[in-house]
Amino acid sequence: MKNNEATIFVFAASIIIGILVSLNINFGKKTERIFLDAKQYQDAYNLKVKYQSEIGALRDQYNHYNDKLNKYIYLSKNGEEVLQEVKDEINRNISETGYKDVHGPGIKIYIEDESNNDDESMSAGDEYMYRIIHNTDIMYIINDLRAAGAEAIEVNGQRVTDRSEVYCLGSFLGINGIKIATPFTITAIGNKDALKTYMEDPNNFLKSLGLPHRQIFFTVEAQDDITIKANEGQPKANYISNVKK
Amino acid sequence: MIAIVGLLIGILLGLVLKVNIPDQFSPYMSVAILACLDSVFGAVRATLSKNFRADIFISGFFGNAVLAAGLAYLGDKMGVPIYLAAVIVFGGRIFDNFAIVRRLLIDKAKSH
């Protein structure tokens, strides 16, 4: 009897192992082995790390939305609280998109050219063109600031939003349809140390303004609290409408 | 003998059912299979030496598998190849058990 019992157990266990083995070994498809050289391995590894961080970010996003959903469900017994929550979020979105005053740590960039200088050496010509600040210069600086993680940017009191243009209007620049003139003060809210380091990096655009052929004066100053005004006016939405999914 | 028949039936079942386990579990499964195999060898040996106990067999079968897979997972997380411990221990024991089974079987055959 005891022998029988053992046989049954061993038989059952063997079946289980057999199933596990066949699950683990793919008889059907052969796994292809690919040999990678160091660079390919590095690239693949970087890709893996990138995807992992993307997955992490998506997971965070999921948690964030899940929290929000739970909050709504939890608060749904009390209509007013939900309303307040929605209002808060709208306000936050409005300030993030640039239609509300915001403040925080950041940097202040001051740039001044010599277009007000009546010196004879500033005669018209190529040299003169080099030595004044153009709309493209401001665009490069704004671009660099965004790349460095600036969350809000303002040029001479004009909040730069996703709809802002930086336009050349002769001796003026146009931002948000407003004429502004040198000297320019560009303020940006974000990680002030990161922003300052990035803007002062010799490889980035701002430093090139100081080269001998341009001689444009500039300073970068980190500040603990900067207030950036809202973009006046409202974004127009006459033609765009949501895509229904 | 019965073990080999069971193994074949199991493999066929697995092929027919075509249940795929995620690739990332594959290394842990291998270690778990090794642990299970060790238990079966132990059971065969115990049967031959007539001291088989079902409770010990079952607890060892599942317990060892889970522990081995768990160790492999832990090692993976810590970056230390702990699964090697399971591979060496179970591998060694499988050979030990097989040696004893062999002797017992041969003795049995000779005594007939």
Side-chain angles (χ1 to χ4, degrees):
Chain A
M1 179 62 209
K2 195 153 192 187
N3 221 358
N4 249 351
E5 189 190 40
T7 315
I8 291 164
F9 276 118
V10 170
F11 182 65
S14 308
I15 289 177
I16 293 176
I17 293 176
I19 291 173
L20 287 178
V21 168
S22 65
L23 289 183
N24 222 23
I25 304 169
N26 284 329
F27 287 106
K29 51 183 175 188
K30 274 185 192 159
T31 45
E32 246 180 81
R33 278 182 186 278
I34 305 164
F35 292 95
L36 303 174
D37 60 32
K39 193 184 172 309
Q40 285 170 323
Y41 177 80
Q42 194 63 39
D43 287 349
Y45 185 80
N46 287 343
L47 199 66
K48 183 184 143 199
V49 170
K50 191 179 139 235
Y51 284 144
Q52 273 174 340
S53 72
E54 270 175 28
I55 290 169
L58 284 174
R59 200 169 284 153
D60 286 349
Q61 208 177 3
Y62 168 78
N63 287 339
H64 173 72
Y65 287 131
N66 205 22
D67 283 353
K68 204 148 105 181
L69 184 67
N70 284 338
K71 217 181 214 169
Y72 284 152
I73 292 169
Y74 178 69
L75 291 177
S76 61
K77 290 163 205 152
N78 188 343
E80 260 179 38
E81 282 181 40
V82 175
L83 201 64
Q84 190 55 45
E85 189 70 29
V86 172
K87 273 183 187 162
D88 285 351
E89 192 176 341
I90 290 173
N91 277 336
R92 205 159 49 237
N93 288 343
I94 289 172
S95 43
E96 277 171 17
T97 45
Y99 296 92
K100 210 155 200 232
D101 294 358
V102 288
H103 77 104
I107 58 167
K108 194 168 258 183
I109 301 170
Y110 177 85
I111 41 177
E112 184 176 10
D113 62 18
E114 294 183 50
S115 58
N116 297 330
N117 190 344
D118 285 338
D119 194 344
E120 283 201 3
S121 69
M122 289 288 288
S123 56
D126 282 352
E127 198 183 339
Y128 176 73
M129 291 307 284
Y130 276 130
R131 287 171 68 173
I132 60 171
I133 297 164
H134 296 275
N135 60 327
T136 48
D137 298 327
I138 302 295
M139 280 155 69
Y140 276 125
I141 292 171
I142 290 172
N143 216 13
D144 273 357
L145 281 170
R146 283 190 171 148
E151 289 167 4
I153 302 170
E154 182 188 73
V155 182
N156 281 20
Q158 290 306 313
R159 178 77 169 267
V160 180
T161 68
D162 60 325
R163 305 253 179 122
S164 298
E165 78 288 2
V166 182
Y167 207 70
C168 177
L169 298 169
S171 52
F172 297 100
L173 294 184
I175 293 186
N176 297 337
I178 308 280
K179 279 183 182 175
I180 56 170
T182 182
F184 297 103
T185 309
I186 304 171
T187 43
I189 292 177
N191 181 336
K192 57 181 181 175
D193 299 323
L195 287 174
K196 190 167 190 291
T197 314
Y198 189 90
M199 296 313 285
E200 287 180 337
D201 189 305
N203 294 317
N204 289 330
F205 180 76
L206 197 59
K207 279 280 169 181
S208 73
L209 292 176
L211 293 175
H213 68 291
R214 301 217 54 179
Q215 291 179 21
I216 290 167
F217 173 78
F218 67 87
T219 57
V220 182
E221 189 190 330
Q223 293 192 349
D224 287 331
D225 194 44
I226 293 176
T227 302
I228 289 185
K229 288 217 179 71
N231 187 344
E232 286 154 20
Q234 286 296 316
K236 285 186 185 126
N238 295 335
Y239 297 98
I240 56 170
S241 48
N242 290 334
V243 176
K244 288 204 169 61
K245 278 182 182 168
Chain B
M1 192 62 203
I2 197 79
I4 295 165
V5 174
L7 205 62
L8 285 177
I9 291 174
I11 289 173
L12 285 177
L13 261 179
L15 285 180
V16 171
L17 291 174
K18 278 214 164 82
V19 191
N20 262 325
I21 50 157
D23 274 353
Q24 71 256 37
F25 293 141
S26 188
Y28 313 135
M29 290 298 278
S30 317
V31 185
I33 289 172
L34 202 62
C36 294
L37 266 180
D38 169 59
S39 296
V40 170
F41 270 89
V44 171
R45 177 197 145 185
T47 316
L48 288 174
S49 51
K50 301 208 190 312
N51 56 0
F52 178 84
R53 276 173 59 192
D55 46 358
I56 288 182
F57 171 66
I58 290 171
S59 61
F61 185 79
F62 292 106
N64 282 347
V66 169
L67 184 65
L71 275 181
Y73 175 76
L74 188 72
D76 223 23
K77 288 283 148 199
M78 295 199 303
V80 182
I82 301 181
Y83 73 91
L84 281 178
V87 169
I88 290 168
V89 169
F90 292 126
R93 273 175 38 171
I94 286 174
F95 281 110
D96 279 353
N97 280 333
F98 179 63
I100 295 168
V101 167
R102 216 154 29 94
R103 265 152 246 258
L104 288 171
L105 280 179
I106 289 171
D107 285 350
K108 219 177 180 182
K110 273 192 181 159
S111 65
H112 272 294

